Amino acid sequence: MSSPDPTPWRDQLSKALCAAAISVFAAIASTASTQAEMISGSENPEFRDALASWLDGDDLASVPRLAALAQEEENIAARNLLGLIDKRASLQGPDLIALSREERIALLRAPGGISGRNWISHIVEESELARLWESLWQLRGGTEIAERFAELGEMRAARETLLVLISRFETGFNSELRAQSWFPESLMHLTETRTYDPAEADQRPPGDPIRRFAGLTVAEEELKDWLSLSPYALPLRVACAQKCPETKEKCTLALYLALDGYSTLLLLGSPIAALIPEPEFAQSQRSINAVARRIMLKHSARTRQSLLRQTDRIDECAVSWLREEFQRYYPKPRETPTVSD
């Protein structure tokens, strides 16, 4: 007996995910330019130039300039960005990691205390985004933080907020909250009882990973189809298009599995969509580097080789790239000083 034709499902998947992508990016685009104008210093030519260098993956050419803008010119955009880079190791390249602790603190943080102060806590009076981040980090508030992030077009931050709340309180969200227009469709499985209705999950495309939270099967080929179109997987697709163009689909699947979790995929993206729209960030070298760095940080030094061996069955090219990226962060042996006769 012949297998069912997968084309109708793939057409349905394409339409559903394209609609989701349009919805996500339209919401971001409708607010990004306005929000960027609200972040003081975002239009400063020196800031834009430093930001471009940072997106190109050049920490040594960008972070000192951002630090100078933050400290000497009190640039709020630079302070916001440095505050989030300081909090996210995946946004820090190997050149920055190789600096001494004192050097990193001097570049990434405001002066004060033993270890400096994160710029976010320093600018809560001048920046609403900073106030929201500090409220989340200090656990002063709940889902209203996520809602406000969503209203500002910071959907990645809204998803992160909800995932942080889940991990802290070990409970989900009621149906009334999940029905609100701002609530991320990608987190509909985070119910109050932490059980996802199979009937509801079955309405989603066959490759959508969220189906697994209802106990439904997601076949590998269907997952590949979902990854090929989902806006959340765009950073993976861009990385693979650059690093493994000949095996792009297999590479995307390999990177997704190496991320070790659907929730981790949802955390990829622009640190501040108002400054760097999601599609622009995803196409940057910084985003590509951050994908590999995020995978590296998800696994301990002891388990990384096991991860690479497991991933190798899916795509050798992806594994080769990840291995090279991991090695860029390993400590470099210092040269033994020569002693003159």
Side-chain angles (χ1 to χ4, degrees):
M1 183 171 63
S2 61
S3 301
D5 182 3
T7 303
W9 269 117
R10 288 179 178 168
D11 289 344
Q12 178 185 345
L13 172 65
S14 177
K15 291 176 182 177
L17 291 178
C18 285
I22 291 171
S23 175
V24 169
F25 292 141
I28 293 169
S30 66
T31 57
S33 60
T34 301
Q35 291 308 121
E37 292 172 3
M38 292 174 61
I39 302 178
S40 175
S42 61
E43 296 306 314
N44 181 311
E46 292 184 21
F47 172 76
R48 301 307 304 184
D49 194 45
L51 177 62
S53 292
W54 184 75
L55 289 173
D56 284 341
D58 193 339
D59 280 333
L60 298 184
S62 60
V63 176
R65 295 165 68 188
L66 291 169
L69 287 167
Q71 296 177 22
E72 298 168 15
E73 299 191 22
E74 300 183 357
N75 186 292
I76 300 300
R79 290 177 171 186
N80 263 298
L81 183 57
L82 287 172
L84 293 178
I85 293 172
D86 181 42
K87 279 284 189 176
R88 287 170 173 72
S90 62
L91 297 178
Q92 302 172 20
D95 289 334
L96 190 58
I97 297 296
L99 298 177
S100 68
R101 180 175 180 273
E102 292 74 18
E103 289 171 322
R104 289 198 304 275
I105 287 173
L107 288 174
L108 295 176
R109 298 180 185 175
I114 298 175
S115 301
R117 293 177 59 199
N118 184 283
W119 279 112
I120 293 296
S121 65
H122 199 71
I123 57 172
V124 291
E125 297 300 323
E126 294 90 355
S127 169
E128 182 176 11
L129 287 178
R131 287 196 296 276
L132 291 170
W133 280 118
E134 187 179 62
S135 295
L136 177 62
W137 296 341
Q138 299 296 326
L139 201 56
R140 294 198 302 265
T143 57
E144 73 278 1
I145 301 173
E147 182 176 6
R148 185 56 182 153
F149 270 134
E151 290 171 350
L152 294 175
E154 301 288 336
M155 290 305 301
R156 194 211 62 80
R159 295 193 297 271
E160 179 177 338
T161 300
L162 294 171
L163 290 168
V164 167
L165 293 175
I166 280 282
S167 66
R168 285 179 175 174
F169 298 113
E170 297 185 355
T171 185
F173 308 108
N174 61 44
S175 57
E176 290 78 15
L177 183 73
R178 293 188 302 117
Q180 293 185 26
S181 59
W182 66 267
F183 193 91
E185 60 83 26
S186 56
L187 296 177
M188 286 298 175
H189 62 292
L190 300 181
T191 66
E192 199 167 21
T193 61
R194 302 300 296 274
T195 57
Y196 192 38
D197 182 1
E200 182 179 342
D202 200 38
Q203 300 303 308
R204 305 179 78 93
D208 192 334
I210 206 173
R211 292 166 57 91
R212 288 176 172 159
F213 294 97
L216 302 180
T217 300
V218 177
E220 190 170 281
E221 285 301 313
E222 293 169 338
L223 176 58
K224 283 170 62 176
D225 287 341
W226 184 85
L227 291 169
S228 72
L229 293 167
S230 170
Y232 308 115
L234 179 59
L236 307 186
R237 295 197 298 272
V238 172
C240 289
Q242 181 186 111
K243 301 298 180 179
C244 301
E246 298 299 320
T247 59
K248 182 179 174 180
E249 284 193 2
K250 292 194 298 181
C251 169
T252 303
L253 176 64
L255 295 185
Y256 172 75
L257 296 177
L259 280 170
D260 196 30
Y262 171 68
S263 295
T264 309
L265 179 72
L266 301 182
L267 296 177
L268 298 178
S270 173
I272 308 176
L275 293 177
I276 320 158
E278 291 291 354
E280 178 185 338
F281 184 77
Q283 295 291 337
S284 71
Q285 189 62 46
R286 178 64 57 184
S287 173
I288 293 171
N289 296 348
V291 167
R293 179 64 169 159
R294 174 77 74 166
I295 291 171
M296 180 179 179
L297 293 170
K298 283 287 290 184
H299 303 271
S300 68
R302 182 176 59 83
T303 62
R304 284 173 197 153
Q305 290 306 312
S306 175
L307 163 73
L308 294 176
R309 287 194 298 271
Q310 293 172 14
T311 309
D312 192 61
R313 72 174 180 84
I314 301 171
D315 185 49
E316 294 178 2
C317 178
V319 169
S320 177
W321 173 58
L322 287 176
R323 183 176 287 110
E324 291 173 0
E325 283 296 296
F326 292 178
Q327 290 173 350
R328 291 206 303 143
Y329 288 89
Y330 293 158
K332 303 294 188 297
R334 295 182 181 274
E335 294 183 3
T336 304
T338 56
V339 180
S340 58
D341 295 334

